[in-house]
Amino acid sequence: MRRAASASSADNSGASSRRRKMMADSESIEEVAVIGNTDITPTEAENNIVNTMVERGTSLLKKMEISVAEAEKRTGKNTVNMQETYTVYLIETRPAESVSEGGTPATPDTLWRRYSEFELLRTYLLVTYPYIIVPPLPEKRAEFVWHKLSADNLDPDFVERRRVGLENFLLRVASHPVLSNDKIFFLFLTEEKGWREAVLETGFQDKVDSRLKSLNATFRVKNPDKRFTDLKQYSDELNTVISQLLRARAKVADRLYGVYKVHGNYGRVFSEWSAIEKEMGDGLQSAGHHMDTYAASIDDILEEEEHYADQLKEYFFYTDAVRAVCRKHELIQYELELAAQDLAYKKQQKEELVTGTVRVFSLKGMTSKLFGQESQEQRESRLTALEQNIQEGEAALKQKNAECREFVQTAWEDIERFKEQKNKDLHEALISYAIMQISMCKKGIQVWSNAKECFNKM
């Protein structure tokens, strides 16, 4: 059922005032310096409340309740004027303090978003906050599926799991000490129209690092930070482990589904057998019903299992976010090394010009031998230019050093936060999965115990 996305003018006025209040709360945050994108423009700074300012321990989730309430399939024309079917998701928000004890919750503000808009938001966050492990989105198309699970991205069960995943993504961002205070994120939650234009106006797309540039830095950086190198290796290994775990789980689910459904044959046989027996008929019929119940229970069991599989998938996708931070550090380190190398070369040129000795072969050295030495005036002019270049190079190196130090400091703070979150989440997920498996086995034992009682009464 689609919920109404509009209300009366009085409700709209109240919603607008609530949004203004929450925006004002966000803008009154105490300023604490944290590194942001060093190329940020004045426009971006205006559109981004806390790209470089954040009050520790605060988050939007303390001020606002957020949920993705439902999904709806729609049909319309795409950018090339072709008909397409797609899914939209209803985001509901309301002030957290709006519900008094025993009172009625305020009517939530609502808007619809497509999955592609969630993708645009996450890309913006990745570029604007390169030192943060940005929470991943749920899968766009089903991965690690078993034969009974549909890989169709419009399948109702898949859409429902994605709805849960998108809500989890919003809650992750809204609870993050930095990301939660971003103005573009706030607009994503509260302004249905004009949001896309607002995010594109930040110019974040111009700051996306090219794959070639990042790959070049990976192979050419000379002094990589061992902490980031180890983290990148750990992320690769975690990705492999979770991938293998999900594949193993899919195979088990496939076979378990078959085993349970085959138990339905027991039910059919016992029912047919009961028809030819007088004294044993009732017991066989009852046992058959228990077998049918057992065979049908696997659907709910595997549906619950998908919930735990999605929790593992989240961290499977998280590994890409971790690697993105490591790649950004490699790029910053590489740029620092290039700045140091360029400065050293300029100082060498100055030394050669002052002493008149050329330590390495150069085209200018050969030119001097062929066409004679420079005049004193030419040498002084070159020396002045080199000294100016050296000063600029020293300033550039100092800036790159500061940028690298700040990136390492802020990135490592978020990495430590992520590690704590990861350990807690995976610990709880694995324990819950084990409890579910134990419960499933107990149900199987109970079914056969009930069947045994039926046989005893024959």
Side-chain angles (χ1 to χ4, degrees), residues 231 412 415-424:
L231 180 64
W412 211 254
I415 288 165
E416 292 297 334
R417 178 203 60 78
F418 169 75
K419 286 179 179 178
E420 185 177 342
Q421 170 197 303
K422 171 187 68 71
N423 293 342
K424 180 176 178 292

Side-chain angles (χ1 to χ4, degrees), residues 15 21 37 63 143 159 170 197 214 323 382:
K21 181 181 183 300
N37 194 321
K63 306 182 186 77
E143 298 184 30
V159 169
L170 293 181
E197 291 74 16
S214 298
R323 286 193 289 251
R382 279 187 60 205

Side-chain angles (χ1 to χ4, degrees), residues 2-187:
R2 175 176 175 172
R3 304 187 185 187
S6 61
S8 65
S9 59
D11 288 340
N12 286 336
S13 176
S16 299
S17 64
R18 288 199 298 271
R19 283 198 292 268
R20 284 195 297 270
K21 181 181 183 300
M22 284 186 284
M23 183 72 79
D25 289 343
S26 296
E27 290 173 344
S28 64
I29 290 169
E30 179 185 351
E31 297 183 353
V32 178
V34 175
I35 185 174
N37 194 321
T38 54
D39 300 326
I40 193 165
T41 64
T43 304
E44 284 180 278
E46 183 180 344
N47 284 310
N48 180 357
I49 296 174
V50 286
N51 190 34
T52 56
M53 311 291 177
V54 63
E55 181 183 12
R56 294 300 182 194
T58 64
S59 72
L60 185 62
L61 206 56
K62 293 183 179 180
K63 306 182 186 77
M64 177 188 285
E65 293 180 2
I66 303 168
S67 66
V68 179
E70 61 181 87
E72 181 180 286
K73 190 184 295 185
R74 293 184 183 176
T75 302
K77 291 186 177 181
N78 58 21
T79 53
V80 292
N81 208 33
M82 293 183 66
Q83 201 77 357
E84 67 171 346
T85 301
Y86 57 91
T87 305
V88 290
Y89 299 88
L90 183 66
I91 299 176
E92 292 186 349
T93 57
R94 61 163 61 90
E97 69 277 4
S98 64
V99 184
S100 58
E101 189 173 344
T104 303
T107 303
D109 297 327
T110 62
L111 53 79
W112 296 92
R113 294 285 186 211
R114 292 186 62 172
Y115 183 86
S116 58
E117 292 179 282
F118 282 88
E119 287 183 306
L120 179 59
L121 170 65
R122 186 171 186 273
T123 302
Y124 160 79
L125 294 175
L126 280 170
V127 175
T128 309
Y129 304 95
Y131 54 91
I132 284 176
I133 300 173
V134 179
L137 291 170
E139 56 197 347
K140 190 166 188 175
R141 291 177 176 78
E143 298 184 30
F144 306 103
V145 299
W146 48 285
H147 87 281
K148 194 65 179 176
L149 198 66
S150 174
D152 180 9
N153 62 348
L154 294 176
D155 176 75
D157 291 335
F158 174 74
V159 169
E160 171 58 19
R161 292 200 312 278
R162 186 198 271 179
R163 180 197 67 77
V164 173
L166 291 174
E167 180 176 294
N168 184 62
F169 165 75
L170 293 181
L171 295 177
R172 291 278 198 205
V173 176
S175 62
H176 192 281
V178 177
L179 301 180
S180 63
N181 293 291
D182 184 88
K183 185 176 181 181
I184 293 296
F185 175 57
F186 186 84
L187 293 177

Side-chain angles (χ1 to χ4, degrees), residues 197-306:
E197 291 74 16
V199 69
L200 294 178
E201 283 175 5
T202 64
F204 80 95
Q205 293 169 309
D206 297 332
K207 302 183 188 305
V208 177
D209 297 322
S210 70
R211 290 182 179 272
L212 183 61
K213 189 177 179 182
S214 298
L215 189 64
N216 189 40
T218 299
F219 287 105
R220 299 187 67 177
V221 67
K222 296 177 181 178
N223 300 301
D225 189 315
K226 189 175 186 301
R227 291 175 299 173
F228 285 91
T229 303
D230 291 344
L231 180 64
K232 190 176 181 182
Q233 182 178 349
Y234 168 76
S235 181
D236 291 339
E237 292 171 352
L238 181 62
N239 180 280
T240 300
V241 167
I242 295 179
S243 173
Q244 291 172 344
L245 190 59
L246 288 168
R247 287 194 178 91
R249 182 259 159 191
K251 289 181 180 178
V252 170
D254 226 349
R255 296 180 185 181
L256 199 60
Y257 182 84
V259 168
Y260 267 69
K261 290 302 182 184
V262 167
H263 274 72
N265 292 337
Y266 282 130
R268 179 180 56 79
V269 171
F270 287 151
S271 295
E272 292 174 356
W273 189 1
S274 68
I276 62 173
E277 299 286 352
K278 292 183 179 180
E279 292 82 2
M280 297 169 55
D282 290 343
L284 289 170
Q285 186 72 31
S286 297
H289 287 321
H290 287 303
M291 292 298 112
D292 288 338
T293 301
Y294 184 64
S297 67
I298 189 61
D299 295 303
D300 290 336
I301 289 171
L302 291 183
E303 184 178 336
E304 185 181 355
E305 265 203 15
E306 285 304 317

Side-chain angles (χ1 to χ4, degrees), residues 10 143 174 204 209 324 377 391 398 413:
E143 298 184 30
F204 80 95
D209 297 322
E377 185 178 336
Q391 288 180 359
K398 184 178 180 181
E413 285 178 9

Side-chain angles (χ1 to χ4, degrees), residues 236-410:
D236 291 339
E237 292 171 352
L238 181 62
N239 180 280
T240 300
V241 167
I242 295 179
S243 173
Q244 291 172 344
L245 190 59
L246 288 168
R247 287 194 178 91
R249 182 259 159 191
K251 289 181 180 178
V252 170
D254 226 349
R255 296 180 185 181
L256 199 60
Y257 182 84
V259 168
Y260 267 69
K261 290 302 182 184
V262 167
H263 274 72
N265 292 337
Y266 282 130
R268 179 180 56 79
V269 171
F270 287 151
S271 295
E272 292 174 356
W273 189 1
S274 68
I276 62 173
E277 299 286 352
K278 292 183 179 180
E279 292 82 2
M280 297 169 55
D282 290 343
L284 289 170
Q285 186 72 31
S286 297
H289 287 321
H290 287 303
M291 292 298 112
D292 288 338
T293 301
Y294 184 64
S297 67
I298 189 61
D299 295 303
D300 290 336
I301 289 171
L302 291 183
E303 184 178 336
E304 185 181 355
E305 265 203 15
E306 285 304 317
H307 168 70
Y308 297 109
D310 287 340
Q311 288 181 317
L312 288 176
K313 286 179 184 177
E314 182 187 21
Y315 278 93
F316 175 77
F317 298 128
Y318 250 126
T319 58
D320 283 336
V322 174
R323 286 193 289 251
V325 173
C326 294
R327 286 194 299 270
K328 184 63 178 180
H329 175 262
E330 287 175 339
L331 187 57
I332 292 174
Q333 178 66 26
Y334 179 57
E335 290 173 349
L336 172 63
E337 292 177 4
L338 285 181
Q341 183 180 330
D342 183 57
L343 179 60
Y345 176 67
K346 288 172 181 174
K347 288 182 175 180
Q348 179 186 322
Q349 284 184 306
K350 178 184 176 182
E351 181 186 343
E352 291 173 354
L353 189 61
V354 171
T355 61
T357 58
V358 179
R359 292 190 295 176
V360 294
F361 172 80
S362 69
L363 182 60
K364 286 186 177 180
M366 288 295 297
T367 303
S368 297
K369 290 182 178 180
L370 291 172
F371 301 104
Q373 297 291 328
E374 295 175 308
S375 66
Q376 182 65 25
E377 185 178 336
Q378 288 175 320
R379 290 179 71 251
E380 288 179 357
S381 176
R382 279 187 60 205
L383 188 59
T384 301
L386 276 173
E387 287 175 344
Q388 177 65 30
N389 289 339
I390 288 171
Q391 288 180 359
E392 293 173 357
E394 287 174 341
L397 181 61
K398 184 178 180 181
Q399 180 184 348
K400 288 294 180 183
N401 261 314
E403 180 184 342
C404 191
R405 283 195 301 270
E406 288 184 87
F407 182 92
V408 170
Q409 178 184 346
T410 52

